[in-house]
Amino acid sequence: MLVIWFTIVPSLPSVESLRDVQLQVPLRIYSADDKLMAEIGEQRRRPVELEDMPERLKLAFLSAEDDRFYKHPGVDWRGTLRAVWLYSLSMGQGRVPGGSTITQQVARRFFLSTDYSVTRKLREMLLAFKVERELSKDEILELYLNKEFLGHRAYGVAAAAQVYYGKTLDELTLAEMAMIAGLPKAPSRDNPISGPAAAMGRRDWILGRMLELGHITEAEHAEAVAQPNTASYHGPVVELDSPWVAEMVRQDVVDRVGSDVAYNNGLVAYSTVRSKLQEAANRVVQEGLLEYDRRHGWRGPEDRVSAEELDDPEALSERLDAMRPIAGLLPAVVMSVDEEAAQFRLADGTGFELTLEAMAWARPFLERSAVGAAPETPGDVLEAGDIVRLRQVDGDWRLAQIPEAEAALVSMKAETGEVLALVGGLDFAHSQFNRATQSRRQPGSAFKPFIYSAALDDGYTPASRVNDAPVVVNDPSMERAWKPTNFSHRFFGPTRLREAMVNSRNLVSVRLLMDMGVDYGRDYVTRFGFERSELPNGPSMALGSASITPLSLTAAYATFANGGYRIEPHYLYSIRDTDGEPIYEAEWALPCRNCPDIPPPNPPAVAEPVEQTPEAPELRRPGLAGEESEDGGEQADSAEPELMGPPRPRRAEQVLSPQTAWLIDSMMSDVIRRGTGRRALALGRDDLAGKTGTTNEQRDTWFAGFGGGVVTVVWVGMDSNESLGRQEQGGRTALPLWVDFMRTALEGRPEVDRPVPVGISRALINPETGLRARPGTPGAIQEWFHSDNLPPLESGAEDSEQADPYSIY
């Protein structure tokens, strides 16, 4: 015995580390309003303090594993002697039941291997004595109940309750507690999902032990034993479907702390998305793509089954189960078709019929710009054996198909760059490619406001006239001579810039850039956050031939919405450890229009406080405490420590003058009032501004705009870069999605008052010449200008008739 003591005891590990043990807990990602978006990690675990566990759950485990736990010193000699006896009977040929107390199991789980040997068993027993000397019984039991593997990646009782029953611990019934207590014996094999018969037998045995030990009454035992097996697999309870943002946050966390810490240390990451807006974004993207798809006709069944399979219910269920739902579209098989209706069957065996009304949209697809005749009977669309998709609309089933087109939506706060909602496609399960951040597409006319902004800072005004007429350009970024045209293939002659913006006249934008110079234009546009290398080195840039992401376009439009400040998009507020302490908090630059001068790097120890003005609010780092109020404002954080001394905000760079930003805003407001964005008038607001975009052959369609302090960009197109169809354009595909989303995003947000900044003047102009009109000039209209760049006054009627808009054109 002394030999064993002096040989093994010195090699035993210290158990002091058990006091500060770091259980492997997955990364959890939440929205800004505390909705779980994702749980990521190899082990699902939710540590719970012993005092918060139901008493009967603890008694169930003690009854199953170690009913003398609170009496023995770490090793139960009764069980040990029984195990030795059984081991000797087996001649040492295998494992024998019994012998390991809960303390021994904790010692083995944390410090020892699972190898089966007498030496390992001795080390386990001696280590159990050490654990009992260092920790209390309650501390040991708490470790055990949080550490034990209980099948299906569940570690600990709280995770098991969620995995098998979708419940918290306090919601479990007695029968469910006993079922979970039976899992340590064979968690992978004899759990209620993989081995229900064995699991039920184990459950009933534990209930019998609890009755025998006096932990439950006869009536409670009888009621629990009578309960059926109700276990089923429950994945993480994701409260907000935002997989693209969750993946962006996951990657950011891994980049900052490493994968091992990210997935095992129980970190909690808070994103910037708002659940209400994210849910609206998910809905409008899916509905918008389905609406586009219906316009272009029925492409036929997704698959077919043979006549033999049609008569085999098990084969049908197996075939349909292999086809996962996509964007709420469920797979179904057509069982029969007659003149009045078609009979369908879902994977779960549910059957029903659809009449012609539910498939009236299904004209045959001919090409993207043509469909065939409307169906007259269900047989014109379907045949028995077809596998198709169905969706529910207001409780009624409708025929559907997986859309060919894809879409992206990004919405953010104009002042801070907080991403409020982001969708990267139809369905993350269908395609994980994030079109909001990874897809570089041409923005088309949605790029024009940047060109017009450059023009206003280069001496043009909203009243300047540029000839909308054909031009042939030798563009070095193109393979051959370029002949741009308008979408309508018509030309309108000399056109004021405001009208050119409202009606999206392509030739005006091209001539503007050619006159300013491509190099000037490229340099100027980089102030919105675009890389110079991604901008074409030719006049085609004026029509949005650059390849950019929807996220970068959204951030660029925020510059117009916030009065000229460049902001960076942010989707991560903070990363916190298991104690809720921040290990990372986002720092971002914010507009500060009337801030005091920033103090020198080493300010005096005592500084006079700086009075805050309404125009220069104290800036703090945005975070979870600054959630939106009902009216769209920001609530003060009463728990945030008071800041002393002069504020030292990190200011956003002002890249546009307030005057230029206001003028572009004014012109894009007219796009909505009377131009290509008129559908947005349905929102009934006066603070909206935006621009449509459509590229050659309708490959990309966009709407980018803002209102109420929210900037949103929508893109619709094909991953294959094929045409959407001749009749599709930004105002028809992307704008309806933008309107539907902004209806939710602007709910409760007051209209943003955009006062005319100092340095802007108003004057009457002659719309035919763009010059200032003399008093009494018939048809004169009002226009806005930089105060130092008013157009000349018309000298007289004769001069007016001979006025030539830019002579170079």
Side-chain angles (χ1 to χ4, degrees):
M1 191 69 181
L2 288 175
V3 173
I4 293 174
W5 184 265
F6 287 109
T7 302
I8 297 180
V9 171
S11 66
L12 295 177
S14 170
V15 300
E16 182 63 29
S17 60
L18 287 178
R19 294 188 182 277
D20 302 310
V21 67
Q22 178 67 56
L23 297 173
Q24 291 176 297
V25 182
L27 167 68
R28 281 170 289 156
I29 301 172
Y30 288 88
S31 66
D33 49 350
D34 290 316
K35 301 290 186 182
L36 181 65
M37 296 162 54
E39 185 174 279
I40 306 168
E42 289 299 316
Q43 300 182 5
R44 292 183 59 187
R45 191 197 310 271
R46 292 177 181 268
V48 180
E49 293 184 4
L50 191 68
E51 62 187 25
D52 295 327
M53 297 181 189
E55 186 65 25
R56 282 187 171 177
L57 178 67
K58 292 180 280 187
L59 293 173
F61 271 90
L62 294 176
S63 299
E65 297 293 326
D66 190 357
D67 61 273
R68 287 170 40 81
F69 173 71
Y70 281 97
K71 298 177 181 178
H72 62 65
V75 175
D76 186 354
W77 296 113
R78 295 180 186 179
T80 301
L81 291 175
R82 183 173 66 252
V84 170
W85 171 252
L86 293 173
Y87 185 75
S88 63
L89 291 178
S90 71
M91 305 297 291
Q93 295 304 306
R95 294 177 182 267
V96 295
S100 285
T101 64
I102 284 178
T103 309
Q104 287 175 262
Q105 292 181 56
V106 168
R108 183 169 66 246
R109 296 284 191 272
F110 282 95
F111 296 115
L112 303 176
S113 70
T114 57
D115 295 338
Y116 188 73
S117 67
V118 173
T119 302
R120 197 270 291 157
K121 195 68 177 179
L122 286 173
R123 288 173 61 83
E124 177 186 298
M125 295 169 66
L126 293 172
L127 189 55
F129 288 129
K130 289 189 69 175
V131 170
E132 292 270 351
R133 287 198 304 269
E134 296 289 338
L135 302 178
S136 70
K137 288 286 189 178
D138 283 352
E139 288 175 320
I140 296 169
L141 184 59
E142 182 178 303
L143 278 172
Y144 174 74
L145 294 176
N146 281 311
K147 173 72 175 179
E148 194 68 11
F149 173 59
L150 300 175
H152 289 281
R153 292 177 55 222
Y155 287 78
V157 291
Q162 172 58 42
V163 166
Y164 293 108
Y165 300 107
K167 296 181 177 180
T168 58
L169 291 178
D170 60 336
E171 296 172 329
L172 294 173
T173 66
L174 175 60
E176 291 165 346
M177 293 179 187
M179 183 72 83
I180 291 173
L183 291 170
K185 182 181 179 181
S188 297
R189 183 191 66 201
D190 296 341
N191 66 69
I193 298 175
S194 303
M200 288 290 283
R202 176 80 173 157
R203 182 203 74 171
D204 292 348
W205 177 82
I206 292 171
L207 289 169
R209 286 287 294 156
M210 294 182 74
L211 175 63
E212 180 184 336
L213 295 169
H215 298 321
I216 58 175
T217 66
E218 289 277 1
E220 290 171 329
H221 174 266
E223 181 182 355
V225 169
Q227 294 297 312
N229 178 14
T230 59
S232 62
Y233 181 75
H234 295 75
V237 183
V238 173
E239 301 169 292
L240 176 62
D241 183 23
S242 184
W244 282 284
V245 177
E247 172 58 20
M248 292 161 65
V249 172
R250 181 202 67 80
Q251 186 59 58
D252 203 337
V253 173
V254 170
D255 290 344
R256 294 180 186 281
V257 303
S259 59
D260 186 59
V261 173
Y263 300 144
N264 298 308
N265 284 27
L267 300 184
V268 176
Y270 287 95
S271 75
T272 61
V273 300
R274 274 50 166 188
S275 59
K276 182 179 179 180
L277 273 61
Q278 184 63 51
E279 289 166 353
N282 296 341
R283 175 182 55 81
V284 302
V285 165
Q286 292 182 0
E287 290 181 356
L289 289 175
L290 288 168
E291 177 60 32
Y292 162 83
D293 207 62
R294 285 192 292 269
R295 290 200 297 269
H296 292 268
W298 173 246
R299 297 188 300 277
E302 194 169 326
D303 205 346
R304 285 189 56 80
V305 298
S306 65
E308 293 76 15
E309 287 179 293
L310 205 59
D311 294 329
D312 186 342
E314 290 187 7
L316 288 180
S317 293
E318 184 177 342
R319 187 76 172 270
L320 295 175
D321 279 334
M323 303 171 65
R324 66 173 62 193
I326 296 173
L329 308 180
L330 301 183
V333 63
V334 181
M335 303 300 294
S336 64
V337 182
D338 58 32
E339 293 295 313
E340 301 297 329
Q343 306 295 323
F344 294 84
R345 183 185 187 278
L346 296 176
D348 62 2
T350 303
F352 50 87
E353 70 174 25
L354 297 184
T355 62
L356 181 63
E357 181 184 0
M359 57 191 82
W361 64 270
R363 294 169 174 260
F365 172 87
L366 301 179
E367 58 167 310
R368 294 247 163 75
S369 299
V371 294
E376 296 181 358
T377 68
D380 292 338
V381 181
L382 302 169
E383 295 180 15
D386 287 350
I387 294 180
V388 299
R389 296 280 174 166
L390 302 177
R391 67 188 292 252
Q392 275 193 308
V393 181
D394 297 328
D396 296 326
W397 289 99
R398 295 284 186 269
L399 180 67
Q401 61 189 355
I402 299 174
E404 286 189 305
E406 283 287 358
L409 183 152
V410 181
S411 183
M412 67 174 59
K413 277 188 175 182
E415 295 284 312
T416 65
E418 296 166 77
V419 174
L420 303 174
L422 184 146
V423 175
L426 172 70
D427 189 311
F428 190 78
H430 183 51
S431 169
Q432 288 78 51
F433 182 61
N434 191 339
R435 294 155 190 84
T437 62
Q438 296 175 299
S439 182
R440 290 183 169 273
R441 306 296 292 238
Q442 294 184 351
S445 294
F447 198 79
K448 289 176 180 175
F450 309 118
I451 303 300
Y452 280 61
S453 177
L456 294 181
D457 283 346
D458 194 47
Y460 284 85
T461 76
S464 297
R465 295 205 306 164
V466 176
N467 199 9
D468 181 54
V471 64
V472 178
V473 181
N474 290 318
D475 188 339
S477 67
M478 311 287 283
E479 294 181 356
R480 56 191 177 198
W482 180 48
K483 300 177 181 179
T485 185
N486 291 319
F487 183 81
S488 65
H489 299 287
R490 297 169 59 200
F491 303 97
F492 298 88
T495 306
R496 287 180 289 115
L497 290 196
R498 182 178 293 273
E499 297 308 300
M501 174 81 84
V502 167
N503 296 292
S504 200
R505 301 283 163 75
N506 288 343
L507 277 301
V508 172
S509 299
V510 172
R511 290 178 182 273
L512 274 178
L513 183 58
M514 291 174 63
D515 182 47
M516 293 185 294
V518 173
D519 286 339
Y520 165 78
R522 293 179 77 197
D523 290 338
Y524 185 96
V525 169
T526 59
R527 65 179 63 187
F528 294 94
F530 303 115
E531 295 294 330
R532 197 175 195 277
S533 59
E534 65 185 353
L535 301 172
N537 186 23
S540 65
M541 182 181 75
L543 302 186
S545 62
S547 295
I548 59 178
T549 66
L551 180 63
S552 64
L553 187 64
T554 310
Y557 263 71
T559 304
F560 298 128
N562 65 32
Y565 293 87
R566 174 177 169 180
I567 54 96
E568 296 293 332
H570 295 275
Y571 48 84
L572 177 62
Y573 269 137
S574 66
I575 306 170
R576 297 177 181 268
D577 62 21
T578 53
D579 296 322
E581 295 298 318
I583 61 176
Y584 164 79
E585 286 188 321
E587 295 185 1
W588 37 33
L590 304 175
C592 191
R593 294 168 183 82
N594 294 292
C595 284
D597 291 336
I598 296 178
N602 297 309
V606 180
E608 292 293 327
V610 176
E611 180 180 355
Q612 299 294 320
T613 67
E615 294 78 21
E618 180 182 357
L619 296 182
R620 61 179 176 81
R621 203 157 44 211
L624 295 173
E627 189 48 75
E628 293 176 3
S629 62
E630 290 295 322
D631 63 359
E634 294 287 327
Q635 296 176 351
D637 178 16
S638 58
E640 187 166 349
E642 182 179 357
L643 299 178
M644 303 301 292
R648 299 188 64 180
R650 187 175 162 213
R651 300 181 184 179
E653 180 185 3
Q654 185 161 10
V655 296
L656 286 185
S657 70
Q659 295 77 22
T660 297
W662 190 91
L663 288 173
I664 294 294
D665 181 343
S666 168
M667 295 165 75
M668 285 198 290
S669 294
D670 274 353
V671 171
I672 287 178
R673 293 189 187 99
R674 53 191 181 85
T676 57
R678 283 188 297 273
R679 283 178 184 253
L681 292 174
L683 294 174
R685 295 176 65 106
D686 292 327
D687 64 339
L688 303 178
K691 186 70 186 73
T692 52
T694 307
T695 61
N696 287 344
E697 299 180 18
Q698 295 75 51
R699 292 189 176 97
D700 300 280
T701 59
W702 301 76
F703 191 81
F706 49 88
V710 176
V711 187
T712 301
V713 167
V714 175
W715 165 85
V716 178
M718 298 281 182
D719 283 344
S720 63
N721 205 32
E722 296 177 28
S723 172
L724 290 167
R726 284 193 299 272
Q727 302 304 313
E728 305 296 347
Q729 50 189 297
R732 191 182 193 201
T733 58
L735 179 53
L737 277 66
W738 188 91
V739 171
D740 286 350
F741 172 78
M742 291 294 276
R743 183 173 287 111
T744 299
L746 297 176
E747 185 178 340
R749 284 182 174 271
E751 292 193 9
V752 172
D753 180 25
R754 295 177 289 214
V756 180
V758 174
I760 290 289
S761 298
R762 181 172 58 180
L764 286 174
I765 65 165
N766 183 337
E768 299 300 322
T769 65
L771 303 178
R772 276 190 295 148
R774 291 180 174 276
T777 302
I781 60 173
Q782 290 185 344
E783 185 55 272
W784 300 91
F785 305 92
H786 282 282
S787 296
D788 59 356
N789 192 31
L790 293 172
L793 184 66
E794 283 188 327
S795 58
E798 293 181 1
D799 292 340
S800 175
E801 292 173 0
Q802 297 175 1
D804 181 16
Y806 293 87
S807 59
I808 59 172
Y809 297 121

